[in-house]
C-alpha cells in the first residue's frame, strides 16, 4: 500500500515537473511548480495517513472498518445491509497485486453517498473478503427472514476459483473458461464447470462506439484543450489557425479543406474512441456464477468487476441512441435494488458495452428469465400508443428549446459580435425537428404485462424500461400546465431500484389514473375501506 | 377524461397563512438582495432595479395567488392501505405510497409552523423520488397521523428494496 502511494505521489508530481520545465526557472514559474507539487502530494500523503492503521474485520454480523492515526474513524455496516461487493484495480494497484473493494449497501441509497470502499487490499484477500461478505450478507438476510436465494451455502466455492489472480493479472491470468473445458485436469474442471459464460467480447461492437457522439466529442475536447494548454508549451494554436485559414483556405477549393477538416476530426475521434473502448472492455466476460450471481470482469489497464444479484434484479433498461439504432445496436442496463444512483451511473457500473439488439434481448431473457425484449414486443403495435396530443407537446417542447438556442446565438451576435451565420443552425433545426418530434411521438408507448411495466420514449436517445411491479414502491400522476391544456399526464413509478423512478410520458389523464391504480394502488380510482385518524374526520371535511 | 379520485381530506385553513407569510419572507429577501446593492453601487443601479421590478412583480403574483389556489387543490388521506395526496397550483400531482412500501413517516415543524400551530408530514419510501409531503396539517392531527401510520406500517413486510 505504501509503495502504491509512493508511485501515486511520483505520478502526481509529473504536472509540477512539467510546469517547472515549461514555465522555466523564473520566479513565478518555480512558485507555480511548487504549488502544483505541494497540492499533488496532499492526496498520496492523506492516503497513507488514512490507511496506515487501517483494519477491517467481520464480527457479530457486521463489517467494521477502522482507519486513521490522528482521527480514528470507525465505520460499521450490518452484513444484511450489504447488497453488492465489487472489485476493481487501477494500474498502480495492480503492480502490487492490490485491489479496491466497493461495498454497496441499501442504506446509503437514499443519501446518494455511493458506497463504502476498502482501498489497497491484497488482491487474493479482496476476492476472499468479497466471498465472505456476500455469504455473510446472505446468511444475515436469511436469519432476518428476508428473501433468500437457493444455494446460499455454495459461496465458499468461490474462495478457490482463483478470482484474485484473474483480477490482479487481468487478461493474462488463467482464464476460468479454458479450465472449464477440462484442459487442466478433471479436479479443477469439476470445481469450475458451473461458471457459465453468458456474454463475451465481440470486437465488432466497436462499430457502435465509432458511430456515436463520442467520435465527435473527443476531438472537440482535444481542440479545446489545445487552445488552453498549447501556449504553455510554446505552441500557439491561433497561429496554426491563421496559417490554415489564411494560406490553405485561400489556395484550395472549399470542398477539399472542409473535407480534410472533417476527416481529421473524425479520424482523431475514431482513434481516441477505439483506444478508450479497448481499455475499458478488454477481456470482457459476463459469467453466471455457481451461486446464482452474475459477474462482469473487464478492463485492460484498470480491471473492473460488477456483480449482479438476480435476487435484487427488478428489470432492465434498453437504450438505443439514434446513431446506434441505425446499426441495430442497443445497450442493456440492469435495474437493481440496493445500489446508489451514483454507483449505477459510474463507469464501472456498466454491464455491457453497446451490443446488438439481439444480444441485448437475449441477455435480458437470461437475467429476468422472461423474454421481456422479444422482437414482437419491440415491434410497433405491442405497446399501447399515446394520444396524438402527446406528439403536439413534443413539437412544442423541441421548438421551445430551439428558440432558446436561437435567442442565445442572437444574444452572442448582438453583444459579442459572433457571426450571424450561426443563426442558420436554429433555422435548419426548426425544420428538421418536426419529423423528429413526430417520430418521437410514435416511439411513445407503454404496457403492463406479466407483472412488468414496459415504457418507451425518446427519439435521439430512445429508452425502453422494463420494471417489475414487485419492485415499484409508489406512483405519481403529474400534470404540467401544458399537459393540463392538452388533457395529458405523466405517470411516475417510483422504486428503490436503478434510477429510482421510471416515467410513462404523456398518456391521457384517464389512462394515467388507470395505470397509477395498477402501479401504486386502488386509491387513484376508488375509496379505501378504512381511513386512519378517523376521529379527526368530521372536523377535517 | 376522468381525473384520479380526489383524496378525502382538505388541509388546514391556516395553511394559506403559512404559504402567504413564507412567500412574503421570500419576497422581502429577493428584494433586499437586489435593491441594497442597487442603492449602494451606482453603476449597476439600473439593471438591478430593472431585475427587481420584473422579478418582484412575478413573485408578488405568485405569493398572493398560489396560497389560495393551493388550499383549494391540496388534499390528503391515509387509509389502511396507503397514503394518498394531491398537490400543485398551476401543475397537478396525485401521489400514492402504499403502506407496505413506507420506510419512514415524520412530522416537521419549523418556527412558522409552530407560530401557526401547523406541521408538515413527510412520508418516505425506498425511492428517492417517492416522498409524499403533506403541508399544512394541524400539528396535533399530524402527530396522530405519524403515530397511526408508524403503527400500521410495522405490521407490513418488505419495502421493495
Amino acid at each position: 500500500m505504501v509503495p502504491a502511494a509512493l508511485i501515486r505521489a511520483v505520478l502526481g508530481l509529473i504536472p509540477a515537473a512539467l510546469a517547472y520545465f515549461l514555465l522555466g526557472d523564473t520566479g513565478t514559474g518555480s512558485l507555480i511548480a511548487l504549488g502544483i507539487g505541494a497540492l499533488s502530494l496532499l492526496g498520496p500523503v492523506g492516503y497513507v495517513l488514512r490507511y496506515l492503521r487501517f483494519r477491517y474485520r467481520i464480527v457479530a454480523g457486521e463489517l467494521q472498518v477502522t482507519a486513521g492515526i490522528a482521527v480514528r474513524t470507525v465505520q460499521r455496516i450490518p452484513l444484511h445491509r450489504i447488497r453488492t461487493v465489487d472489485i476493481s484495480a487501477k494500474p498502480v494497484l495492480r503492480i502490487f497485486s492490490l485491489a479496491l473493494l466497493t461495498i454497496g449497501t441499501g442504506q446509503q441509497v437514499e443519501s446518494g453517498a455511493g458506497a463504502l470502499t476498502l482501498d489497497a487490499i491484497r488482491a487474493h484477500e479482496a476476492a476472499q473478503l468479497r466471498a465472505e461478505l456476500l455469504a455473510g450478507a446472505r446468511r444475515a438476510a436469511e436469519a432476518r427472514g428476508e428473501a433468500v436465494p437457493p444455494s446460499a451455502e455454495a459461496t465458499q466455492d468461490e474462495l478457490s476459483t482463483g478470482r484474485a489472480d484473474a483480477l490482479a493479472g487481468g487478461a493474462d491470468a488463467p482464464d476460468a473458461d479454458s479450465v472449464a473445458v477440462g484442459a487442466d485436469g478433471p479436479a479443477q474442471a469439476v470445481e469450475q464447470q458451473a461458471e457459465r459464460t453468458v456474454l463475451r467480447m465481440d470486437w465488432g461492437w466497436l462499430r457502435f462506439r465509432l458511430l456515436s457522439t463520442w467520435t465527435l466529442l473527443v476531438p472537440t475536447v482535444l481542440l479545446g484543450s489545445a487552445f488552453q494548454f498549447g501556449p504553455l508549451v510554446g505552441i500557439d494554436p491561433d497561429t496554426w489557425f491563421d496559417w490554415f485559414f489564411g494560406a490553405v483556405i485561400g489556395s484550395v477549393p472549399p470542398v477539399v479543406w472542409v473535407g480534410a477538416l472533417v476527416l481529421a476530426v473524425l479520424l482523431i475521434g475514431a482513434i481516441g474512441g477505439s483506444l478508450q473502448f479497448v481499455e475499458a472492455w478488454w477481456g470482457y466476460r459476463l459469467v453466471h456464477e455457481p451461486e446464482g450471481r452474475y459477474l462482469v470482469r473487464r478492463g485492460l489497464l484498470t480491471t473492473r468487476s460488477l456483480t449482479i444479484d438476480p435476487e435484487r434484479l427488478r428489470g432492465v433498461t434498453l437504450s438505443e441512441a439514434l446513431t446506434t439504432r441505425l446499426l441495430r445496436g442497443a445497450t442493456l442496463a440492469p435495474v437493481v435494488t440496493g445500489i446508489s444512483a451514483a454507483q449505477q451511473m459510474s463507469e464501472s457500473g456498466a454491464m455491457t458495452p453497446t451490443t446488438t439488439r439481439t444480444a441485448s434481448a437475449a441477455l435480458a431473457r437470461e437475467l429476468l428469465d422472461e423474454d421481456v425484449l422479444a422482437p414482437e414486443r419491440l415491434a410497433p403495435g405491442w405497446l399501447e400508443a399515446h394520444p396524438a396530443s402527446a406528439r403536439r407537446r413534443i413539437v412544442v417542447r423541441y421548438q421551445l428549446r430551439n428558440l432558446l438556442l436561437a435567442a442565445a446565438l442572437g444574444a452572442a451576435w448582438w453583444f459579442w459580435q459572433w457571426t450571424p451565420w450561426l443563426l442558420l443552425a436554429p433555422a435548419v433545426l426548426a425544420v428538421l425537428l418536426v419529423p423528429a418530434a413526430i417520430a418521437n411521438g410514435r416511439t411513445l408507448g407503454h404496457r403492463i404485462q406479466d407483472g412488468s411495466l414496459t415504457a418507451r420514449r425518446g427519439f435521439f436517445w430512445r429508452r425502453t424500461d422494463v420494471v417489475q411491479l414487485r419492485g415499484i414502491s409508489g406512483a405519481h400522476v403529474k400534470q404540467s400546465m401544458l399537459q393540463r391544456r392538452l388533457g395529458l399526464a405523466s405517470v411516475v413509478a417510483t422504486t428503490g431500484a436503478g434510477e429510482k423512478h421510471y416515467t410513462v410520458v404523456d398518456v391521457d389523464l384517464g389512462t394515467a389514473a388507470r395505470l397509477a391504480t395498477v402501479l401504486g394502488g386502488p386509491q387513484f380510482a376508488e375509496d379505501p375501506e378504512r381511513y386512519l385518524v378517523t376521529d379527526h374526520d368530521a372536523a377535517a371535511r | 377524461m376522468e381525473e384520479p379520485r380526489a383524496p378525502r381530506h382538505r388541509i388546514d385553513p391556516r395553511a394559506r397563512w403559512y404559504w402567504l407569510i413564507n412567500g412574503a419572507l421570500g419576497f422581502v429577501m429577493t428584494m433586499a438582495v437586489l435593491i441594497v446593492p442597487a442603492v449602494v453601487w451606482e453603476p449597476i443601479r439600473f439593471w438591478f432595479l430593472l431585475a427587481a421590478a420584473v422579478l418582484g412583480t412575478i413573485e408578488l403574483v405568485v405569493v398572493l395567488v398560489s396560497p389560495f389556489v393551493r388550499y383549494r387543490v391540496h388534499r390528503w388521506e391515509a387509509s389502511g392501505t396507503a397514503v394518498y395526496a394531491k398537490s400543485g397550483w398551476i401543475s397537478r400531482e396525485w401521489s400514492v405510497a402504499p403502506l407496505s412500501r413506507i420506510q419512514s413517516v415524520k412530522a416537521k415543524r419549523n418556527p412558522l409552523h409552530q407560530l401557526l400551530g401547523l406541521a408538515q408530514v413527510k412520508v418516505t419510501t425506498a425511492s428517492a423520488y417517492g416522498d409524499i409531503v403533506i403541508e399544512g396539517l394541524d400539528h396535533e392531527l399530524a402527530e396522530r397521523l405519524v403515530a397511526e401510520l408508524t403503527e400500521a406500517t410495522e405490521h407490513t413486510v418488505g419495502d421493495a428494496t
Side-chain angles (χ1 to χ4, degrees):
Chain A
M1 189 272 306
V2 174
L6 273 178
I7 289 201
R8 277 188 191 180
V10 171
L11 289 177
L13 282 174
I14 289 176
L18 271 179
Y20 182 77
F21 286 120
L22 295 175
L23 299 172
D25 202 0
T26 60
T28 37
S30 317
L31 270 182
I32 292 176
L34 218 69
I36 298 179
L39 276 179
S40 55
L41 277 180
L42 276 181
V45 168
Y47 180 72
V48 169
L49 285 182
R50 171 165 154 71
Y51 282 98
L52 217 45
R53 285 182 61 203
F54 179 79
R55 301 274 183 282
Y56 64 84
R57 59 176 186 175
I58 301 173
V59 68
E62 57 180 28
L63 170 70
Q64 300 179 349
V65 180
T66 49
I69 299 176
V71 185
R72 297 283 286 171
T73 59
V74 184
Q75 274 177 294
R76 305 160 66 147
I77 298 178
L79 289 185
H80 69 89
R81 279 282 176 195
I82 293 177
R83 304 289 196 250
T84 58
V85 183
D86 291 316
I87 305 174
S88 67
K90 290 209 160 76
V92 175
L93 287 179
R94 281 178 61 191
I95 294 172
F96 299 99
S97 293
L98 298 173
L100 172 82
L101 218 69
T102 310
I103 299 166
T105 70
Q107 206 153 41
Q108 287 160 327
V109 166
E110 268 181 77
S111 64
L116 172 75
T117 54
L118 301 183
D119 205 342
I121 306 251
R122 280 189 194 85
H124 66 274
E125 274 177 33
Q128 196 168 334
L129 186 60
R130 170 176 182 267
E132 273 175 37
L133 286 174
L134 287 173
R138 212 153 262 206
R139 275 195 301 274
E142 202 174 346
R144 287 167 56 90
E146 288 170 11
V148 179
S151 71
E153 62 291 338
T155 325
Q156 282 302 314
D157 294 350
E158 207 175 312
L159 300 179
S160 47
T161 52
R163 171 138 324 119
D165 299 332
L167 269 160
D172 306 328
D175 193 349
D177 231 29
S178 63
V179 180
V181 187
D184 290 326
Q188 265 177 306
V190 168
E191 189 177 276
Q192 301 199 341
Q193 72 192 149
E195 186 175 286
R196 178 171 52 89
T197 300
V198 178
L199 196 63
R200 57 169 67 241
M201 197 60 204
D202 174 352
W203 288 106
W205 295 339
L206 179 58
R207 67 180 184 275
F208 300 120
R209 175 50 170 276
L210 291 184
L211 200 78
S212 72
T213 30
W214 279 100
T215 312
L216 286 174
L217 209 67
V218 171
T220 317
V221 171
L222 280 180
L223 268 180
S225 30
F227 271 98
Q228 203 108 50
F229 297 113
L232 280 179
V233 206
I235 301 167
D236 189 0
D238 278 334
T239 50
W240 290 17
F241 265 67
D242 289 345
W243 168 79
F244 185 80
F245 284 108
V248 179
I249 292 174
S251 56
V252 293
V255 186
V256 176
W257 68 260
V258 169
L261 204 66
V262 169
L263 209 69
V265 163
L266 288 180
L267 206 65
I268 296 173
I271 293 170
S274 304
L275 288 177
Q276 202 273 335
F277 186 79
V278 168
E279 198 286 315
W281 296 99
W282 185 265
Y284 170 77
R285 279 203 320 141
L286 194 158
V287 298
H288 187 228
E289 296 189 302
E291 326 76 71
R293 283 184 297 267
Y294 291 88
L295 179 69
V296 175
R297 271 170 288 179
R298 65 191 176 92
L300 182 61
L301 300 176
T302 298
T303 55
R304 309 144 170 100
S305 88
L306 173 76
T307 314
I308 300 149
D309 186 349
E311 291 299 317
R312 306 216 172 273
L313 202 61
R314 296 293 177 266
V316 290
T317 295
L318 187 78
S319 326
E320 304 160 279
L322 179 60
T323 48
T324 316
R325 214 152 65 223
L326 293 174
L327 298 177
R328 305 184 64 77
T331 319
L332 192 75
V335 175
V336 186
T337 64
I339 62 173
S340 65
Q343 214 180 337
Q344 164 115 3
M345 295 297 176
S346 72
E347 196 268 342
S348 59
M351 178 172 70
T352 71
T354 304
T355 65
T356 59
R357 209 178 290 169
T358 355
S360 300
L363 182 56
R365 188 177 60 227
E366 160 83 33
L367 291 174
L368 295 174
D369 244 341
E370 200 182 328
D371 208 356
V372 291
L373 295 174
E376 69 269 15
R377 293 195 175 194
L378 295 178
W382 190 79
L383 292 174
E384 319 259 344
H386 291 197
S389 45
R391 248 163 267 174
R392 277 199 295 268
R393 179 165 176 242
I394 297 164
V395 172
V396 171
R397 201 172 61 212
Y398 277 6
Q399 296 299 349
L400 277 179
R401 282 184 201 170
N402 196 29
L403 220 62
L404 271 180
L405 176 70
L409 290 175
W413 172 39
W414 187 259
F415 288 108
W416 298 292
Q417 285 78 45
W418 286 25
T419 165
W421 286 105
L422 284 173
L423 283 167
L424 265 180
V428 172
L429 277 178
V431 180
L432 289 181
L433 284 177
V434 173
I438 292 170
N440 192 338
R442 286 217 191 90
T443 301
L444 288 177
H446 70 273
R447 181 156 171 173
I448 294 175
Q449 171 105 14
D450 305 329
S452 311
L453 164 74
T454 306
R456 191 176 59 187
R457 65 190 156 103
F459 174 74
F460 296 104
W461 280 273
R462 180 201 282 181
R463 55 180 301 160
T464 312
D465 298 306
V466 181
V467 186
Q468 295 171 346
L469 298 189
R470 66 180 174 129
I472 289 173
S473 59
H476 300 233
V477 174
K478 290 187 177 187
Q479 275 191 307
S480 69
M481 198 162 57
L482 181 60
Q483 279 179 316
R484 283 175 67 195
R485 263 172 181 270
L486 295 169
L488 296 170
S490 295
V491 183
V492 182
T494 62
T495 162
E499 294 172 27
K500 317 297 176 205
H501 67 306
Y502 292 90
T503 312
V504 180
V505 184
D506 289 343
V507 287
D508 67 73
L509 190 57
T511 310
R514 273 195 299 281
L515 270 175
T517 307
V518 181
L519 297 171
Q523 282 73 18
F524 286 104
E526 51 193 72
D527 293 325
E529 281 175 19
R530 182 173 69 87
Y531 288 101
L532 298 182
V533 284
T534 38
D535 53 332
H536 176 78
D537 207 21
R541 290 211 85 172
Chain B
M1 188 180 77
E2 329 86 85
E3 280 196 1
R5 182 184 66 92
R8 184 178 174 93
H9 310 300
R10 297 186 83 158
I11 53 171
D12 197 286
R14 283 169 287 174
R16 287 171 297 186
W17 289 105
Y18 175 80
W19 281 314
L20 204 61
I21 297 172
N22 211 10
L25 289 174
F27 176 77
V28 170
M29 288 286 280
T30 316
M31 288 301 104
V33 166
L34 288 172
I35 291 177
V36 169
V39 171
V40 176
W41 202 28
E42 208 275 327
I44 58 164
R45 189 164 294 163
F46 172 75
W47 294 104
F48 270 58
L49 287 179
L50 183 72
V54 173
L55 289 178
T57 315
I58 297 173
E59 203 171 336
L60 204 61
V61 172
V62 172
V63 167
L64 291 178
V65 174
S66 72
F68 302 95
V69 182
R70 279 188 186 279
Y71 176 67
R72 290 171 54 162
V73 173
H74 283 221
R75 299 184 75 92
W76 67 279
E77 72 182 34
S79 64
T81 48
V83 175
Y84 181 37
K86 179 185 179 187
S87 61
W89 69 286
I90 51 175
S91 62
R92 290 283 179 278
E93 178 166 355
W94 294 261
S95 319
V96 153
L99 280 200
S100 60
R101 304 292 199 237
I102 290 174
Q103 282 189 338
S104 75
V105 188
K106 283 173 218 151
K108 197 185 87 178
R109 301 186 73 196
N110 64 26
L112 188 53
H113 282 126
Q114 293 180 24
L115 188 76
L116 295 166
L118 292 172
Q120 175 206 71
V121 173
K122 188 173 178 180
V123 177
T124 63
T125 66
S127 168
Y129 291 83
D131 293 354
I132 295 183
V133 178
I134 307 169
E135 186 61 80
L137 294 185
D138 175 80
H139 74 103
E140 278 175 14
L141 170 68
E143 261 161 45
R144 271 209 308 284
L145 178 62
V146 170
E148 285 198 31
L149 273 176
T150 311
E151 157 82 11
T153 49
E154 266 168 18
H155 299 302
T156 62
V157 185
D159 56 7
T161 49

